[in-house]
Amino acid sequence: MTAPLDLDQLQSFCAIADCGSFTEAARRVNKTQSAVSMQIKRLEERLGQPLLTRDGRTVALTSQGEALYARARRMLRTNAEILDHFSDGDLAGQIRFGVPDDYAVRLLPVILSSFQRTHPKIAVDVACMASEDLLSGMRSGRYDIIVFTQGTEQNYGELFRTEKMYWVASHGGRALASEPLAIACGSPGCIWRKSAMEALNRDGTDYRVAYTSSNATAISSAVLSDLAVGFLPESAMQPGMRVISEDMGLPRLADAEIALMRASHAYGGIYDALANHIVQSMGNLEPAPAHAEAAE
């Protein structure tokens, strides 16, 4: 009978895949770097396949490593679920959670206030920033769980919500009539910015980037102040904004795909409690009132 794989080795392998570094992975799993290197060597010998490639300080997954990664994650998750099932302890601890500030205004009150009422012994430390910064922070070990916009440099994570993207303007404002069209958007790395510009270019719309910020609140302020037209998913809309209907001459935008990503250790217990609460809360979130309105 073939012996089962070593979950400790799989944990170290996933940590390396997450951060791209043996040194950082060793810190995350509380082992020496030599111990982690030996674990990977034994895992590769056991499977008979190279799992990682090393180029100087850079570590990447081979094709076989990619195939193992998703399966190893599932095994770690199942292991955590089994331990949870037989545990009778109260859920308590600390979670480092990151969320894009695009969603923070509407989502944080919904998610965290109800979560803290049902899980008073779990402390959630929250950081709000752009999706690309959250992904970078996840790779460097600063977060346990993040919500991010899928498509931002990578398509990893657990997709759990898709929303329509809308062009928005200030209620009663004149920015929509500007020539060229003044738009407010995120930094060049923002997936929504790239998608909107591609759509405008395909449509032949003359536009200029009048306002740029990595802070969603600043962009919303530019729209609400009638400095520019913006684009947002329905859950990020704010009072005072109006949706620009499709017959107003602006191209349709690609949907926003919202995903959740966990660190390789963030399964079971307090992590599942928060992750499940996020998915359920956002799944029940109703569109903002501005959804049904059209700019004149």
Side-chain angles (χ1 to χ4, degrees), residues 101-114:
D101 52 5
D102 310 89
Y103 309 123
V105 173
R106 290 195 69 205
L107 297 187
L108 284 184
V110 173
I111 293 173
L112 294 185
S113 60
S114 57

Side-chain angles (χ1 to χ4, degrees), residues 221-279:
S221 295
V223 173
L224 291 170
S225 300
D226 198 32
L227 297 176
V229 168
F231 38 88
L232 292 170
E234 58 188 13
S235 65
M237 297 214 184
Q238 296 186 27
M241 291 182 178
R242 304 195 71 177
V243 169
I244 300 172
S245 59
E246 292 187 11
D247 61 359
M248 296 299 291
L250 291 182
R252 184 170 182 174
L253 297 169
D255 291 345
E257 296 183 328
I258 306 171
L260 182 143
M261 181 182 287
R262 308 167 183 245
S264 57
H265 66 269
Y267 291 111
I270 61 176
Y271 306 112
D272 276 3
L274 179 60
N276 293 339
H277 188 80
I278 292 169
V279 172

Side-chain angles (χ1 to χ4, degrees), residues 190-221:
C190 174
I191 188 64
W192 295 346
R193 172 176 171 150
K194 293 178 182 177
S195 176
M197 288 186 173
E198 288 173 359
L200 290 169
N201 290 333
R202 284 196 306 269
D203 204 49
T205 301
D206 188 18
Y207 70 93
R208 68 183 181 90
V209 177
Y211 198 96
T212 302
S213 176
S214 59
N215 183 281
T217 301
I219 295 174
S220 294
S221 295

